[in-house]
Amino acid sequence: MKTLILLSLLVLVPCVRGQLITNTEGRKTISLNGQWQAIIDPYESGYYNYRYQPSDNGYFKNAKPKNKSELIEYDFDKSETLKVPGDWNTQSDQLFFYEGTVWYKKSFDYQRKPNTRLFVYFGGANYFADVYLNGEKLGEHEGGFTPFNFEITNRVKDTDNFLIVKVDNKRRRDAVPTLMTDWWNYGGITREVKLIETPATFVSDYMVQLQKGSRDRVTGWVKLSGDKLNQKITVRIPEAGVSKTFTTDASGSAMVDFTANLKLWSPDDPKLYDVFIDAETDQVREQIGFRSIETRGTDILLNGRPIFLRGVCIHEEAPLRGGRGYSREDAVTLLSWAKELGANFVRLAHYPHNEFMVREADRMGIMVWSEIPVYWTIQWENPDTLKNARNQLQEVITRDKNRAAVVIWSVANETPLSDARLTFLKDLISHARHLDPTRLLSAAMERHYTNPTTQMIDDPLGEFLDVLGCNEYVGWYDGLPEKADGLEWKSKYQKPLVMSEFGGDALFGHHGDSLTRWTEEYQESIYQHQISMLKKIPFLRGTSPWILTDFRSPRRPLPGIQDYWNRKGLISDRGEKKKAFYVLQGWYQEMR
Ligand code: GCU
């Protein structure tokens, strides 16, 4: 039996396609953040020739005229610069609404070392990135919210390297997300860029977590990359007196399986341990928390005990300054506001947020719902769209699988019912379970009326989820706030429900009676009526109202009120708390 379990886990070790390096914080890195030269190229003339065929002589060559007669029609070094990390939309008024291609260039020197490999790592670039080094293509990446890296060991020079990235954030029907979203399509190299140095054979990836439902059995795996793949690996947790040795097989993989007496991570006590992965040729250290998360009937159990997820949704809008958030400070500000609300849980909508967000959630004791942007009307029948969604799921799970804070993977938001959609999402669910058997699966579904006062959750997708997510806007898109009072909720499933969205818009400082739209009083009234409705739902085990702060959206032009901001935040874009903030805070305090 034990051999069978171990054999089934072996398939979990990811194959080495462009192996995504994890825990970059725990490795030797050189930052490439800062000002990068940038060329705005709306017609992609740096990529295509006038026949719209890819040119061999594009901007990635960083060509310079060799003599006075040579014709070169671009020059990075005389071009404007853009800050990396950062979206381009909030760095220049010209680019505020810009959707298209921008070329980025960064020059750097690097002293090569024997027995050392080198990778270039991107935390994220929205949406499609073509990456070149010294005029040669390294590769490409699709998806604006997950990391990627390329090995450059045999391509880097000691001096005058030029790294060029073509970033295109044009929306496409077959993409993930697709054409229509309710958030700003911030483009650019939106997250950190760094060089990662490793030994010739290094610990490229590992998973060390409690087995589902257990409070003392640690299972997982370690993966080596390089030529010395058959090694002894020791997993050490000095503070817990753990030192366990395993042997990698010919592919450099070793299964990890041991029991240990560990203090469990929880919001009240977010215990993190220093965990060391010692190989003969490399060592990696990481702070990891150990907790179990599971469901039993309509309950969600953290470390075996029922828990209510007191949450709020968050978009990755940089607090106070706007634009795509990317820093540890941004994460701490947003999560501290959530803590102030009394939250022990956040839904990071609708795409993987930067890694600082989940690492700070680990440290601050906030459970996380992590989502990929399978949002609204995705092209369900398109196999490339599915492949893309699977890849984004794999990349976020690879990056965050050792974060105790992450308890739920969500595969979709408000997607219309159809057989093709169900097939698509079932595929993603089984892919996630294959990659990570320790966490819960969910999705933000919709509900319907079975009669004027009964809401029913019976989306066929619910059968394949552990936790039901449901978005409802009673009092905003659906009637007036008091409509919630008479509503009853029913579910086809004996499963826990997280009300993953509810709320309404209010402009901070805009006051009136509780029936006047856009006022703080109207929003306050929505929350008051929502809370009394939610309290009556017997299978409700969590809430994440929409949303912690106002965020930019191209779908919200109402002058003087929205001005391209979705105003459903409990906190304004300037950090001001609206009346509804205190209504929710009161309920969450009541529940503690
Ligand atoms: C939807 C959606 C959000 C959107 C919100 C709104 O439910 O999931 O992305 O911003 O409603 O309309 O404000």
Side-chain angles (χ1 to χ4, degrees), residues 181-183 315 347 349-350 371 375-376 413-414 444 446 471-473 476-477 500-505 546-547 551 553 555-556 566-568:
T181 71
D182 191 29
W183 67 82
H315 252 303
R347 175 184 174 211
H350 293 289
E371 187 161 294
Y375 182 92
W376 290 348
N413 180 73
E414 291 185 358
E446 294 176 290
N471 296 357
E472 52 89 6
Y473 281 92
W476 186 253
Y477 297 123
S500 42
E501 287 184 35
F502 58 92
D505 289 63
W546 193 257
I547 183 164
F551 62 95
S553 166
R555 300 177 66 246
R556 313 291 175 173
N566 182 311
R567 297 289 184 193
K568 293 189 179 68

Side-chain angles (χ1 to χ4, degrees), residues 10 65 87 92 132 142 153 155 205 245 275 282 289 296 343 356 404-405 425 439 448 453 484-485 512 515 543 565 567:
L10 262 172
D87 62 273
S92 127
Y132 307 82
E142 178 163 8
T153 310
R155 296 177 183 239
D205 197 5
T245 300
V275 176
D282 189 18
R296 187 181 54 208
F356 291 118
L425 296 180
R439 289 180 176 83
H448 62 96
T453 59
D485 303 349
L515 287 175
T543 47
W565 289 86
R567 297 289 184 193

Side-chain angles (χ1 to χ4, degrees), residues 473-484 503 517 522 526 530:
Y473 281 92
V474 176
W476 186 253
Y477 297 123
D478 173 8
L480 297 175
E482 51 275 1
K483 179 175 180 180
R517 294 255 174 186
Y522 189 107
I526 288 177
Q530 281 286 323

Side-chain angles (χ1 to χ4, degrees), residues 47-324:
Y47 188 82
Y48 296 105
N49 62 23
Y50 77 117
R51 291 280 178 255
Y52 209 65
Q53 297 141 342
S55 148
D56 301 337
N57 204 15
Y59 291 177
F60 50 85
K61 288 292 182 192
N62 189 28
K64 301 281 180 193
K66 292 183 202 54
N67 56 56
K68 64 182 179 184
S69 312
E70 191 180 0
L71 172 61
I72 304 282
E73 295 186 280
Y74 67 94
D75 185 338
F76 276 105
D77 298 324
K78 291 203 178 87
S79 301
E80 298 287 319
T81 62
L82 283 172
K83 190 173 149 315
V84 168
D87 62 273
W88 60 59
N89 310 74
T90 55
Q91 293 191 53
S92 127
D93 293 348
Q94 276 181 316
L95 297 174
F96 187 61
F97 287 102
Y98 182 64
E99 295 184 298
T101 281
V102 171
W103 293 84
Y104 287 81
K105 182 197 68 103
K106 185 75 173 175
S107 296
F108 65 94
D109 297 341
Y110 172 75
Q111 190 52 56
R112 284 174 296 177
K113 304 177 184 75
N115 299 321
T116 301
R117 295 167 68 184
L118 192 68
F119 298 80
V120 58
Y121 177 95
F122 295 82
N126 190 48
Y127 173 76
F128 199 100
D130 293 280
V131 184
Y132 307 82
L133 182 69
N134 300 335
E136 300 304 318
K137 183 129 188 201
L138 294 177
E140 56 199 40
H141 182 264
E142 178 163 8
F145 305 102
T146 47
F148 53 101
N149 51 238
F150 303 102
E151 177 154 16
I152 58 173
T153 310
N154 305 324
R155 296 177 183 239
V156 73
K157 302 179 295 179
D158 286 340
T159 59
D160 302 327
N161 293 287
F162 53 93
L163 180 63
I164 290 183
V165 188
K166 172 186 183 294
V167 182
D168 180 3
N169 76 333
K170 274 197 298 299
R171 287 168 291 123
R172 298 195 328 264
R173 182 73 194 82
D174 65 337
V176 179
T178 182
L179 293 171
M180 179 68 85
T181 71
D182 191 29
W183 67 82
W184 206 267
N185 183 23
Y186 290 123
I189 302 179
T190 50
R191 295 180 183 159
E192 298 192 292
V193 184
K194 54 184 108 173
L195 298 175
I196 303 177
E197 263 186 12
T198 73
T201 300
F202 71 104
V203 177
S204 58
D205 197 5
Y206 49 91
M207 182 167 188
V208 183
Q209 285 281 284
L210 279 182
Q211 188 176 53
K212 193 161 196 170
S214 170
R215 285 186 270 293
D216 63 357
R217 183 160 177 201
V218 176
T219 56
W221 43 266
V222 174
K223 175 90 184 105
L224 297 177
S225 166
D227 43 26
K228 197 169 178 314
L229 293 178
N230 206 211
Q231 294 192 17
K232 288 235 167 312
I233 300 279
T234 303
V235 177
R236 287 184 302 118
I237 313 177
E239 198 186 337
V242 170
S243 177
K244 301 285 179 188
T245 300
F246 307 90
T247 307
T248 52
D249 61 19
S251 74
S253 310
M255 303 318 312
V256 167
D257 190 347
F258 59 89
T259 56
N261 179 12
L262 298 161
K263 196 163 185 219
L264 299 182
W265 182 98
S266 70
D268 295 336
D269 185 0
K271 172 66 185 167
L272 299 178
Y273 284 91
D274 280 332
V275 176
F276 295 84
I277 312 285
D278 300 337
E280 292 157 27
T281 55
D282 189 18
Q283 179 194 68
V284 179
R285 171 186 162 276
E286 183 161 17
Q287 289 225 304
I288 297 180
F290 297 90
R291 54 95 194 92
S292 79
I293 188 79
E294 56 197 310
T295 60
R296 187 181 54 208
T298 58
D299 280 341
I300 298 175
L301 307 179
L302 176 71
N303 300 331
R305 281 200 298 274
I307 190 160
F308 189 95
L309 307 183
R310 302 187 310 272
V312 68
C313 289
I314 300 182
H315 252 303
E316 195 182 40
E317 188 83 45
L320 306 174
R321 71 176 187 279
R324 177 66 57 211

